[in-house]
């Protein structure tokens, strides 16, 4: 019997009643003979509330102090969960990120895990206890408390599973798995029983909000099998596993969308070497997270450059471009916030030509104009008008018959 890491998100520990339900599940897993390690998020909306508080006392919270404040949320939930587990006759010990040996770099607010020295966690396991670890936090190389970015408990859990060589990392959340599309927008969406690490990574990056992107990167890099499931209903969830282990192989596994981005176009940019470098270096230095980039063909020595970015980065991007446009002699810039990105993801796309053409044809048939396109080996994304998103999602989902189990059972390239 191996080690099982169980991660419970904020909604799963939102109140005392739910904490008792989580304690029941932990105790039951332990009594089946497993070594159980638990990672928890802060209760309900408590991280949001702490962020609000910070902005009530100042305009620009000092990053170190903000991390100190936010890590308090997870401290509350680890202690309460331990009390409830102990009350059920199973010994449990809580650990902050620092006590659990989660060492990070010193970038407050989005620290990266450098290593995990989990000896206290192992010791607790050897003593038959359930270690309950605060998610989303660590301690930096300079001995300060850090956080891993919003949603970071997923990453804490997967990284801990990798460090302990756990047989599985179970992510308990408020949805019961990963779907072929967002079921709130596409009623015929189907729950996937399995998806590969690579596909999940692309889906998460394309806007499927089930897991923090970095947690999926860690799972892929260390080959950790992850199971996403509901903490409210006891139904099978979705397994995220190595590609070789996937039984049902589809060309397209799912269609994801993202409405959190905006598009900016810098107009009449002089077409000479170094100009794109100036634009994107300036945006990067201001920590603007640019996603897709398109440069139009040059006409009479000028070109338009468009890119997408998170809407939350717009104020900073506007300030940067106000300066840059003058410096590079561009005519100006436009901003469009009414866009959506729609992406199809599937490992089978690597070996099946024509998937892109299929997607474009479907969008054309329902009258959806494509604004920008970007691809990876297993993902194809289009920027479209946000008011056409539901039409586009349904058309693509129907065309690739995602509501049905995939027909292809063997890998196309074997
Ligand atoms: N409590 C943190 C947040 O709300 C971390 C997490 O939930 O994963 O972002
Ligand atoms: Mg979360």
């Amino acid at each position: 019997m191996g080690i099982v890491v169980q991660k419970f998100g904020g909604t799963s520990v939102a109140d005392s009643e739910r904490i008792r339900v989580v304690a029941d599940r932990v105790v039951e897993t332990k009594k089946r003979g497993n070594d159980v390690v638990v990672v928890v998020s802060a209760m309900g909306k408590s991280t949001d509330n702490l962020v609000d508080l910070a902005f009530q006392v100042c305009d620009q919270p000092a990053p170190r102090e903000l991390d100190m404040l936010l890590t308090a949320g997870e401290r509350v939930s680890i202690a309460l969960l331990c009390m409830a587990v102990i009350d059920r006759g199973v010994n449990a010990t809580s650990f902050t990120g620092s006590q659990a040996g989660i060492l990070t770099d010193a970038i407050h607010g989005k620290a990266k895990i450098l290593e995990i020295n989990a000896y206290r966690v192992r010791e607790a396991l050897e003593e038959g206890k359930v270690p309950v670890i605060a998610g989303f936090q660590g301690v930096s190389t300079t001995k300060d408390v850090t956080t891993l970015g919003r949603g970071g408990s997923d990453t804490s859990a997967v990284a801990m599973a990798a460090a302990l060589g756990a047989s599985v990392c179970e992510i308990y959340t408020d949805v019961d798995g990963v779907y072929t599309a967002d079921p709130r927008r596409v009623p015929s969406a189907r729950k996937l029983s399995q998806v590969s690490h690579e596909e999940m990574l692309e889906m998460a990056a394309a806007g499927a909000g089930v897991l923090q992107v970095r947690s999926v990167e860690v799972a892929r890099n260390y080959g950790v099998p992850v199971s996403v499931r509901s903490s409210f209903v006891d139904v099978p969830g979705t397994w995220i596993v190595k590609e070789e282990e996937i039984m049902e192989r589809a060309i397209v596994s799912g269609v994801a969308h993202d409405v959190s981005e905006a598009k900016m176009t810098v107009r009449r940019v002089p077409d000479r070497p170094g100009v794109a470098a100036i634009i994107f270096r300036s945006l990067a230095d201001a920590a603007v997270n640019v996603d897709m980039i398109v440069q139009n063909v040059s006409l009479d020595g000028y070109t338009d450059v468009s890119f997408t970015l998170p809407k939350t980065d717009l104020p900073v991007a506007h300030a940067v471009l106000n300066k840059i446009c003058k410096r590079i002699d561009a005519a100006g810039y436009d901003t469009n916030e009414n866009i959506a990105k729609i992406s199809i993801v599937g490992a089978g796309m690597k070996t099946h030509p024509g998937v892109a053409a299929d997607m474009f044809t479907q969008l054309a048939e329902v009258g959806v104009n494509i604004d920008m396109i970007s691809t990876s080996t297993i993902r194809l994304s289009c920027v479209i008008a946000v008011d056409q998103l539901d039409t586009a999602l349904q058309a693509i989902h129907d065309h690739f018959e995602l509501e049905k189990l995939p027909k292809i059972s063997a890998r196309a390239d074997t």
Side-chain angles (χ1 to χ4, degrees), residues 45 86 143 161 189 252 255 331 341 355 367 385 403:
K45 295 257 164 285
I86 293 167
K143 299 195 169 59
V252 172
V255 49
K341 185 169 73 175
V355 178
E403 71 285 359

Side-chain angles (χ1 to χ4, degrees), residues 7 9-10 41 151 154:
K7 182 257 167 177
S41 295
D154 294 336

Side-chain angles (χ1 to χ4, degrees), residues 59-188:
D59 290 338
Q60 197 62 267
R64 179 186 183 278
E65 304 313 323
L66 188 59
D67 274 358
M68 188 66 94
L69 177 71
L70 297 190
T71 51
E74 271 72 10
R75 235 180 219 253
V76 172
S77 46
I78 52 172
L80 289 173
L81 180 58
C82 274
M83 293 173 194
V85 171
I86 293 167
D87 191 51
R88 282 154 180 73
V90 168
N91 218 338
T93 308
S94 61
F95 294 100
T96 63
S98 164
Q99 290 175 322
I102 301 177
L103 186 73
T104 73
D105 63 20
I107 314 289
H108 287 290
K110 48 180 169 195
K112 288 212 163 61
I113 298 176
L114 299 175
E115 60 183 64
I116 298 186
N117 305 310
Y119 58 91
R120 287 193 69 183
V121 175
R122 281 185 210 280
E123 235 168 58
L125 284 175
E126 276 155 25
E127 289 163 9
K129 296 176 179 163
V130 174
V132 178
I133 301 165
F136 170 62
Q137 57 176 263
V139 63
S140 74
T141 43
T142 50
K143 299 195 169 59
D144 280 315
V145 167
T146 50
T147 63
L148 309 179
R150 297 304 304 269
S153 301
D154 294 336
T155 302
S156 310
V158 177
M160 192 47 84
L164 296 171
S167 48
V168 56
C169 180
E170 298 176 341
I171 307 270
Y172 289 90
T173 178
D174 49 0
V175 295
D176 63 359
V178 180
Y179 280 72
T180 51
D182 184 341
R184 286 166 300 190
R185 287 182 183 263
V186 181
S188 54

Side-chain angles (χ1 to χ4, degrees), residues 12 32 49 62 76 143 153 175 214 223 228 250 284 318 322-323 341 346 373:
S12 310
R32 280 202 305 258
N49 297 339
V76 172
K143 299 195 169 59
S153 301
V175 295
R214 278 172 50 203
V228 176
H318 285 159
N322 286 337
K323 281 195 209 129
K341 185 169 73 175
I373 300 168

Side-chain angles (χ1 to χ4, degrees), residues 184-321:
R184 286 166 300 190
R185 287 182 183 263
V186 181
S188 54
R190 177 176 59 85
K191 185 164 47 179
L192 293 159
S193 58
Q194 289 181 317
V195 62
S196 71
H197 290 120
E198 287 76 13
E199 288 173 321
M200 192 62 231
L201 196 54
E202 292 284 6
M203 284 189 199
V210 193
L211 289 173
Q212 199 198 30
V213 176
R214 278 172 50 203
S215 71
V216 189
E217 277 167 1
V218 176
R220 180 197 54 187
N221 294 349
Y222 294 90
V224 179
V226 175
S227 158
V228 176
R229 43 190 309 177
S230 165
S231 60
F232 304 115
V233 285
D234 203 6
V235 294
T238 300
W239 280 97
I240 304 165
V241 294
K242 290 186 188 150
E243 199 189 326
E244 310 85 88
E245 286 160 23
I246 301 281
M247 314 284 283
E248 301 157 0
R249 289 177 194 283
I251 297 171
V252 172
S253 295
V255 49
H257 72 273
D258 189 352
V259 292
S260 68
E261 298 207 327
K263 178 181 129 174
M264 296 188 78
T265 302
V266 189
R267 281 181 286 106
R268 271 184 84 75
V269 178
D271 194 9
R272 55 181 153 76
V275 170
I278 293 175
I279 298 175
F280 293 104
R281 168 58 57 206
S282 311
L283 290 166
D285 287 348
V288 172
N289 216 335
V290 171
D291 181 20
M292 291 189 198
I293 301 175
V294 171
Q295 179 178 328
N296 283 349
V297 282
S298 167
L299 281 177
D300 57 35
Y302 292 93
T303 178
D304 287 348
V305 177
S306 298
F307 57 89
T308 61
L309 72 170
K311 283 179 186 156
T312 47
D313 285 353
L314 277 176
V316 180
H318 285 159
V320 170
L321 286 180

